[in-house]
Amino acid sequence: MFRIFDLSLLINGFPLKKAQAELRKIVTLSNEEYIEFIENKKREIVNYHLKNNPFYQELVGSKLFNNWNDLPILNKKNLQKPLSERLSKGYSKKNIYINKTSGSSGEPFIFAKDKYCHALTWASIVHRFAMHGINFNTSYQARFYGIPLDFIGNKKERFKDFLSRRYRFPIFDLSEKVLEKILIKFQNNPFDYINGYTSSIVLFAKYLEKKNIILKDICPTVKVCIVTSEMLFADDKKLMEKQFGIPIVNEYGASELDLIAFENQNGEWQVNAETLFVEILDENNNPVPNGISGRIVITSLFNKAHPFIRYEIGDTGVLDEKSTLKKPILKTLVGRTNDITVLPSGKITPGLTFYYITKSIIEDDGNVKEFTIKQTKIDSFEVEYVSEMELNGEQIQKINVAIELYLESNLKFTFTRKLTLNRSNRGKLKQFKSMV
């Protein structure tokens, strides 16, 4: 069998086979062996960055550490400086994987992984999807994700989709006319699974409910739906299970890290304990007992190019009381919701669309630190941002071009520079909010 997905990673320098072999070893460790493994990996990754990463040395204030709980909490503000200032010795843009966070928390930044770490990320994803009968080399994905609309960016993503055996439904416009086209695509294609943003897939399920259609009846090959990036509410899950006629699997991840938690076949939200170390902390940065709510703080155990050690992701969660060190179960996750916006033309688009607009101002110069967007009227939006310098006319024009490209013409945007932005009682920014 021609493994085009595996080959595409290999060609780009990501050692997937080696990573999969290491992951298999970790998964088969006994509970006692795992305790030793996790302590060794925590110590190794901290010592590596204290020795090789000036950014992390400055954050810790020392080149040595004795107590894990004494290590500082790394937050997104710490990371809003040029990537070149955050990389470990021996790493440059030529030998790492680079990407940007979506900014869904209102605090976007550019991040990096070394190539082995990124290969482990993919090994972890492949391993968890396989639990539900999905093979990345052969299974055909119906993908509900955003996509760049500029010619080069669009073609790049479409090529990646081809290599990854997936067909992408752009989610910037989910009006009924577009949803009808999506339905026809399912009728005519043997999709094996659905993957994408929760809110977009929920809109498709509501459309099927209105039409009194069960997706499995018109696309018998589809067997599972995996939702990500936004909160999955119980009522929405029930609706999707009914209208799709297949299991709904909940994924929680972060592009700068890995899959954080993935629903297993027993319906448990199993935390990734192979490549990550996940902590739930109180306001004083102390671990809370299982069953108690706290801030989710995560350590990437293998990323040598860039430190993510005790990194506060911006969400609050609860680990189940039955969790063990090797098999933590996420009982509750608070946050990661995104509103839907309705535009004057009737076009419906998810709040995550604003990621593709704000990309135009997220440069690796650390200027724009935070932003929030509020829809005050059907055609009016307020953008509040924190930056070292006020956006100039050229930058605002660039944003306006992106607004017309991704949304529609004749929308009114005001830009206000602030010293600080209002936060929720959990300290998290909500990037987009509709008042309409």
Side-chain angles (χ1 to χ4, degrees):
M1 183 193 306
F2 185 53
R3 296 176 174 271
I4 194 167
F5 173 76
D6 291 359
L7 185 61
S8 67
L9 287 174
L10 181 65
I11 289 170
N12 286 291
F14 300 112
L16 181 63
K17 293 299 179 187
K18 181 182 175 184
Q20 288 176 321
E22 176 146 16
L23 190 69
R24 283 193 294 270
K25 285 182 183 177
I26 298 169
V27 169
T28 55
L29 291 174
S30 67
N31 288 333
E32 293 75 18
E33 290 170 330
Y34 180 80
I35 293 171
E36 184 179 358
F37 158 79
I38 201 72
E39 288 305 315
N40 285 340
K41 292 307 296 183
K42 285 161 60 181
R43 186 165 50 252
E44 282 175 19
I45 198 66
V46 174
N47 285 333
Y48 182 88
H49 285 297
L50 287 178
K51 183 179 178 181
N52 296 285
N53 192 289
F55 162 75
Y56 193 64
Q57 290 170 8
E58 183 180 354
L59 186 71
V60 175
S62 169
K63 290 190 177 183
L64 298 170
F65 89 104
N66 296 311
N67 187 344
W68 178 264
N69 289 333
D70 290 339
L71 290 170
I73 303 302
L74 177 67
N75 60 48
K76 295 180 182 182
K77 270 194 172 62
N78 300 139
L79 302 173
Q80 289 178 323
K81 56 174 61 182
L83 180 62
S84 59
E85 296 179 15
R86 294 181 268 126
L87 292 178
S88 299
K89 294 173 186 174
Y91 290 99
S92 69
K93 292 184 178 182
K94 294 179 181 179
N95 62 358
I96 55 176
Y97 168 79
I98 301 174
N99 206 342
K100 296 179 183 179
T101 64
S102 69
S104 60
S105 66
E107 298 173 301
F109 61 90
I110 294 171
F111 67 90
K113 297 179 185 180
D114 62 81
K115 291 200 170 185
Y116 185 63
C117 176
H118 191 57
L120 270 169
T121 296
W122 275 113
S124 173
I125 294 168
V126 168
H127 169 67
R128 275 158 175 87
F129 274 61
M131 293 178 180
H132 298 278
I134 301 303
N135 183 314
F136 271 57
N137 286 294
T138 59
S139 299
Y140 192 22
Q141 178 190 140
R143 189 171 182 82
F144 286 75
Y145 268 70
I147 188 170
L149 297 181
D150 64 282
F151 181 80
I152 294 176
N154 188 277
K155 294 304 178 189
K156 278 184 179 178
E157 288 302 313
R158 289 293 184 193
F159 183 63
K160 283 160 63 176
D161 288 342
F162 167 75
L163 294 178
S164 301
R165 288 276 298 154
R166 61 199 187 204
Y167 181 85
R168 187 183 305 233
F169 299 109
I171 46 80
F172 301 119
D173 181 1
L174 290 172
S175 54
E176 288 209 355
K177 186 163 69 173
V178 174
L179 290 169
E180 176 65 25
K181 290 179 181 178
I182 293 174
L183 178 60
I184 292 169
K185 201 76 180 177
F186 272 96
Q187 288 175 319
N188 296 325
N189 287 271
F191 291 115
D192 292 295
Y193 67 112
I194 301 167
N195 185 215
Y197 297 153
T198 308
S199 58
S200 302
I201 298 174
V202 168
L203 283 176
F204 183 49
K206 289 179 178 177
Y207 175 77
L208 293 177
E209 181 183 41
K210 183 178 177 181
K211 295 288 185 179
N212 197 26
I213 294 171
I214 304 299
L215 189 64
K216 184 76 172 174
D217 292 342
I218 64 161
C219 184
T221 53
V222 69
K223 49 182 171 282
V224 67
C225 171
I226 298 164
V227 296
T228 190
S229 291
E230 301 158 307
M231 185 73 77
L232 174 62
F233 296 104
D235 289 347
D236 289 338
K237 184 175 184 180
K238 190 181 296 183
L239 170 69
M240 286 189 285
E241 286 173 339
K242 177 187 172 189
Q243 295 308 137
F244 295 161
I246 55 177
I248 308 300
V249 172
N250 201 358
E251 172 190 290
Y252 171 41
S255 56
E256 66 269 36
L257 296 168
D258 198 335
L259 286 180
I260 299 168
F262 198 81
E263 194 171 343
N264 62 27
Q265 289 176 302
N266 298 321
E268 300 167 320
W269 218 358
Q270 188 170 335
V271 173
N272 172 3
E274 293 82 46
T275 70
L276 304 177
F277 175 61
V278 177
E279 301 175 84
I280 309 293
L281 305 183
D282 64 18
E283 64 276 8
N284 296 315
N285 300 334
N286 297 313
V288 302
N290 292 344
I292 303 297
S293 175
R295 294 147 51 227
I296 299 177
V297 172
I298 302 175
T299 297
S300 177
L301 297 171
F302 289 89
N303 193 351
K304 292 183 176 179
H306 187 294
F308 283 104
I309 297 170
R310 306 200 86 196
Y311 164 61
E312 184 170 2
I313 194 167
D315 292 323
T316 299
V318 180
L319 286 180
D320 198 289
E321 290 85 347
K322 64 185 177 185
S323 296
T324 64
L325 190 63
K326 187 181 179 186
K327 188 183 176 183
I329 303 297
L330 189 61
K331 185 177 184 178
T332 307
L333 175 69
V334 181
R336 298 178 80 83
T337 59
N338 281 273
D339 288 340
I340 297 295
T341 178
V342 180
L343 302 176
S345 66
K347 183 176 179 179
I348 301 172
T349 191
L352 273 174
T353 301
F354 288 96
Y355 162 56
Y356 292 89
I357 294 170
T358 51
K359 267 185 74 172
S360 59
I361 57 170
I362 302 170
E363 302 295 344
D364 193 15
D365 59 5
N367 182 36
V368 177
K369 302 294 187 182
E370 300 175 332
F371 62 86
T372 58
I373 303 169
K374 186 189 299 181
Q375 184 180 21
T376 55
K377 299 177 183 176
I378 195 164
D379 66 342
S380 301
F381 298 80
E382 295 178 358
V383 180
E384 294 184 346
Y385 65 95
V386 176
S387 67
E388 294 173 4
M389 297 173 288
E390 191 151 358
L391 294 176
N392 58 40
E394 183 180 342
Q395 290 170 311
I396 290 175
Q397 177 58 28
K398 190 176 179 182
I399 296 168
N400 286 330
V401 169
I403 288 166
E404 284 207 16
L405 180 63
Y406 289 102
L407 299 173
E408 61 186 49
S409 302
N410 301 317
L411 297 177
K412 301 167 188 170
F413 273 69
T414 60
F415 300 88
T416 306
R417 184 180 172 217
K418 297 273 191 176
L419 293 175
T420 59
L421 297 177
N422 292 328
R423 290 176 138 71
S424 71
N425 56 11
R426 295 187 302 111
K428 185 174 179 180
L429 288 172
K430 186 172 176 60
Q431 186 196 11
F432 176 78
K433 184 175 183 180
S434 178
M435 310 295 289
V436 177

